[in-house]
Amino acid sequence: MSEERTTLEIIAPTVEEAVAKGLADLGLPSEAVEVEVLDSGSRGLFGLGSRQARIRLTVKNQAELQSIAVGGENTHERSEASREENIPSAALEAVHAEEPEVPEGEDTSLRVARETVAELLEKMKVHAQVTSKYVQPEDPKDQASILIEVHGDDLSILIGRRSETLNALQYISSLIIGKELEKWVPLIIDVEGYRARRERQLRQLARRMAEQAVSTGRRQVLEPMPPSERRVIHLELRNHPQVFTESVGEEPNRKVTIVIKK
Amino acid sequence: MKELIEFVARSLVDDPTQVQVNQSRDVGKVHLELRVAKEDMGRVIGKNGRVANALRILLRVAAAREGKQVSLDVIEPR
């Protein structure tokens, strides 16, 4: 499978127009491409100082197209997220063939965490492999988190729009595991490396939008994000010399804004 | 779907024997009613309904597998 993907950047007065133009140029339906908004543009005041919208379209590969045919929903909203999600099918089959391993003398917390998530998934009728391990916290004073990794075919349904489903699964799992172990343990659930990929993209986005704030002198408002994702943006720009960040609005539409330091 | 709610509710409450889930079906729709002991209501609803809403999100995945819509109500005990 080639990693080379056809991409196209389009500039138009609005994002919608840019997407429509790009799709027309490629002759593809909207399901066949990922849309990344590079600049959502600005109408300006009374047409003054308006800026055109800039987007990037990436043509999806066959595997992703098939998963869309099955998954259907939320392809558009997740466009940014699923851009790198083409896992070689051979690797997937390898994971599939493996029986879930139970390491000897496994720690009780890891076992309870793994079994809880596996049972939830089974009852959600999602077929997947679940593994658990400890990850060391960034700050050595913090408690180590349990990382649950979920692997399988066509798991986009487990992530959901703005990782809503993944966060719900993580929340319910951590409640059950906390109750079972009679202590709260920080828990992270990841699906096919989604969170790690997403974090990389968010860091990039943060830097790009900060540059834009500096070059335009204007406050940049990002898309609404869940708290964990906003945190990544705040952290990435924490030591930026020229901008600071703040979140505005109410959940679930709270957004990070990037503001020039005075 | 019923099993999912039963599993989560029984795992979260102090009194699992009082967990009861009724399921009624309509064309393309499944309606679930969850009953738990009065003392356990808070555990299955959560602050601002956070637990119940997360449950609804997970239910949607199970329902989508069957091509159905699903609703969940937590019923106040009498």
Side-chain angles (χ1 to χ4, degrees):
Chain A
M1 198 181 294
S2 165
E3 287 295 291
E4 281 289 321
R5 319 280 292 278
T6 309
T7 65
L8 183 63
E9 282 191 31
I10 303 115
I11 295 172
T14 66
V15 172
E16 287 77 5
E17 284 174 63
V19 173
K21 188 167 167 242
L23 291 174
D25 285 355
L26 291 167
L28 287 169
S30 60
E31 297 83 41
V33 297
E34 309 281 7
V35 181
E36 189 185 3
V37 178
L38 302 173
D39 186 345
S40 56
S42 159
R43 244 174 245 286
L45 201 57
F46 309 116
L48 293 173
S50 68
R51 205 170 69 245
Q52 300 231 334
R54 204 155 52 85
I55 63 157
R56 179 187 295 147
L57 295 183
T58 305
V59 179
K60 291 175 190 168
N61 62 23
Q62 268 330 98
E64 280 176 279
L65 281 174
Q66 276 158 15
S67 79
I68 290 152
V70 182
E73 58 171 13
N74 72 38
T75 48
H76 191 70
E77 290 93 330
R78 286 193 44 242
S79 57
E80 204 184 345
S82 53
R83 224 154 48 81
E84 293 177 39
E85 239 164 87
N86 52 336
I87 301 112
S89 54
L92 274 177
E93 276 157 26
V95 172
H96 218 73
E98 268 174 40
E99 285 299 310
E101 285 174 34
V102 183
E104 268 180 63
E106 190 189 25
D107 173 284
T108 311
S109 302
L110 286 183
R111 182 180 52 78
V112 168
R114 181 171 46 78
E115 287 173 357
T116 301
V117 175
E119 183 144 14
L120 275 170
L121 291 177
E122 187 211 310
K123 292 188 158 51
M124 287 162 69
K125 308 217 164 53
V126 172
H127 301 287
Q129 287 71 47
V130 182
T131 58
S132 58
K133 66 179 183 197
Y134 285 109
V135 284
Q136 289 315 309
E138 275 176 45
D139 187 336
K141 289 193 295 282
D142 291 345
Q143 201 181 342
S145 304
I146 293 180
L147 172 66
I148 305 274
E149 291 180 294
V150 182
H151 291 282
D153 279 330
D154 191 23
L155 294 179
S156 61
I157 193 169
L158 262 192
I159 298 170
R161 185 167 168 252
R162 288 188 210 150
S163 51
E164 177 186 64
T165 310
L166 188 51
N167 289 339
L169 179 67
Q170 183 172 301
Y171 180 58
I172 294 288
S173 300
S174 73
L175 288 179
I176 297 176
I177 294 162
K179 174 112 177 154
E180 176 86 19
L181 298 173
E182 295 178 333
K183 62 168 187 198
W184 181 78
V185 196
L187 178 78
I188 304 160
I189 304 185
D190 200 355
V191 173
E192 295 289 2
Y194 169 78
R195 288 205 194 273
R197 274 198 311 278
R198 179 75 179 147
E199 184 176 332
R200 258 203 324 274
Q201 290 168 347
L202 287 170
R203 287 174 188 275
Q204 270 175 21
L205 175 77
R207 291 194 298 270
R208 206 166 62 218
M209 295 308 271
E211 265 172 42
Q212 212 164 87
V214 171
S215 66
T216 62
R218 265 195 234 116
R219 157 194 301 258
Q220 302 292 316
V221 182
L222 307 190
E223 292 299 301
M225 288 172 198
S228 59
E229 296 194 352
R230 294 199 306 270
R231 187 166 172 272
V232 173
I233 305 278
H234 291 309
L235 287 177
E236 180 67 18
L237 298 178
R238 189 171 45 177
N239 298 320
H240 196 286
Q242 289 159 292
V243 300
F244 67 92
T245 57
E246 58 187 1
S247 292
V248 295
E250 296 296 316
E251 300 283 4
N253 288 312
R254 219 164 143 71
K255 303 165 186 176
V256 177
T257 63
I258 302 174
V259 190
I260 306 279
K261 283 182 184 165
K262 292 270 154 58
Chain B
M1 287 176 247
K2 188 182 171 192
E3 303 78 56
L4 175 64
I5 298 305
E6 279 172 346
F7 170 65
V8 176
R10 288 202 176 113
S11 305
L12 294 181
V13 298
D14 283 334
D15 185 356
T17 63
Q18 298 279 306
V19 171
Q20 204 195 330
V21 181
N22 289 330
Q23 175 167 299
S24 57
R25 287 170 179 275
D26 216 335
V27 186
K29 282 186 187 161
V30 177
H31 183 66
L32 295 168
E33 290 183 342
L34 169 63
R35 287 178 174 80
V36 299
K38 199 171 184 175
E39 297 70 30
D40 283 323
M41 287 291 282
R43 294 182 191 280
V44 294
I45 294 173
K47 253 185 221 160
N48 298 322
R50 195 170 166 206
V51 178
N53 284 333
L55 267 175
R56 291 187 181 106
I57 291 170
L58 298 190
L59 265 179
R60 231 181 281 151
V61 174
R65 297 278 162 177
E66 298 177 23
K68 297 212 168 79
Q69 289 193 325
V70 67
S71 61
L72 170 70
D73 282 328
V74 184
I75 309 289
E76 191 90 35
R78 267 173 288 182

